[in-house]
Amino acid sequence: MEIEVLDSRNSKVVAKCNVKSTTTIKDLKTQVHSSNKKLHPHRQAFRLEVKGKMLKDSDTMESLNLRSGSKLYIKDLGPQIGWSTVFLAEYAGPLLVYLWIYQRPWLFYGDSSAEISQTAHIAAACWTIHYAKRLLETIFVHRFSHATMPLRNLFKNCIYYWGFAAYVAYHVNHPQFTSPCMTQVYIALGGFLISELGNLSIHINLRNLRPPGTSIRKIPVADANPLTALFNFVSCPNYTYEFLAWLSFSILTQCLPAFVFALAGVFQMAVWALGKHRNYKKEFKDYPKCRKAIIPFIL
């Protein structure tokens, strides 16, 4: 049977593809690419209607109730870049920026002989632990359901992460930085380390849910690791632990820019978590009703 592929912007015919009932959207993307080399499969998004929901690569013509003469709408997502590349750029930048400012370069502070406080040293170690962990997770742990993302997001995300790294580092490493009492520092350091371990535990748990080379989705549940028990209360405990880590860092440094970074982060993560929470409930009819999105019993 023949399917017409129309441009979602102007409804012009992009391609006419011969398909079978078992042909998937992924297969269709390959056909469209063969007739239009500009439209790489990763740039294509298919919908049943102009502003409808994006179809999954695994959807078949039969599952979508398509017949000969049916129409599908395609959107060009623009230039793409691999998720791993994006994450590496996002996380390597803040690490390098922070450690550079940690050295108190003349460009930021002029000539200063003031000693770097113990708290600033601990903060630099925490910052390094977090972003080094994220880099290693990107390389060895994460399995991405989508291979690419729009290239424009790389610049937006790097400005956010790199900019906040400079903002926080400048104040924490300033010669006039005043440390809170060391009891507060060490308690907050404990909270930071536990949160980082919790975040890593959740990422490993999520990785184990998805076999290599697939986009299979399952209901995430706690495993034998006690730090994954947060799955009993929220859908996205990785975000919960991430916020707790930056809240602990903020308490450790008692620095306003660090609190601003933590609040900006939890706001964005809450948006992501709420979206994932809704998708989980739609996709899985037996999804636990007691779970919240990111903050237990609240949100």
Side-chain angles (χ1 to χ4, degrees), residues 53 217 235-236 270-285 287 291-294 299:
K53 183 180 178 181
R217 289 169 59 82
S235 295
C236 301
V271 173
W272 293 335
L274 288 168
K276 291 185 177 183
H277 186 64
R278 285 192 297 269
N279 289 338
Y280 279 139
K281 291 195 293 184
K282 288 180 181 178
E283 186 172 359
F284 304 107
K285 301 304 180 183
Y287 194 73
R291 288 187 189 178
K292 294 295 185 180
I294 184 172
L299 182 66

Side-chain angles (χ1 to χ4, degrees), residues 16-193:
K16 293 184 178 181
C17 302
N18 291 315
V19 298
K20 302 177 181 178
S21 61
T22 56
T23 299
T24 64
I25 291 296
K26 184 177 181 180
D27 298 330
L28 192 60
K29 288 179 178 180
T30 302
Q31 283 198 45
V32 172
H33 179 234
S34 65
S35 61
N36 188 333
K37 297 301 182 182
K38 176 186 175 183
L39 289 173
H40 190 276
H42 292 318
R43 293 182 62 147
Q44 301 175 36
F46 277 95
R47 296 179 171 89
L48 290 172
E49 300 174 355
V50 174
K51 295 185 179 180
K53 183 180 178 181
M54 188 183 300
L55 302 178
K56 299 177 183 178
D57 280 354
S58 58
D59 289 336
T60 64
M61 301 299 105
E62 183 177 27
S63 67
L64 296 172
N65 295 318
L66 296 176
R67 300 290 182 266
S68 185
S70 294
K71 296 177 174 58
L72 282 175
Y73 293 89
I74 187 173
K75 179 180 179 180
D76 183 358
L77 299 176
Q80 301 287 297
I81 187 171
W83 272 95
S84 294
T85 303
V86 173
F87 276 17
L88 291 174
E90 285 180 2
Y91 302 143
L95 180 58
L96 296 174
V97 168
Y98 192 100
L99 293 181
W100 174 49
I101 297 177
Y102 168 63
Q103 302 298 319
R104 287 187 178 169
W106 176 87
L107 177 64
F108 287 95
Y109 304 113
D111 294 324
S112 175
S113 58
E115 184 178 355
I116 299 177
S117 70
Q118 181 68 19
T119 301
H121 288 308
I122 293 173
C126 289
W127 193 276
T128 301
I129 288 170
H130 177 81
Y131 282 104
K133 179 181 78 69
R134 298 304 294 268
L135 288 168
L136 292 173
E137 286 174 342
T138 299
I139 298 171
F140 298 109
V141 177
H142 291 318
R143 287 176 179 157
F144 302 102
S145 56
H146 298 287
T148 64
M149 68 184 296
L151 178 61
R152 62 181 179 275
N153 288 355
L154 173 65
F155 304 103
K156 179 180 66 176
N157 294 359
C158 285
I159 288 172
Y160 172 82
Y161 283 107
W162 296 26
F164 261 119
Y167 180 45
V168 174
Y170 175 80
H171 288 85
V172 173
N173 297 291
H174 198 284
Q176 297 181 7
F177 169 75
T178 301
S179 169
C181 70
M182 294 311 294
T183 300
Q184 176 176 325
V185 170
Y186 289 130
I187 291 174
L189 174 61
F192 177 86
L193 294 175

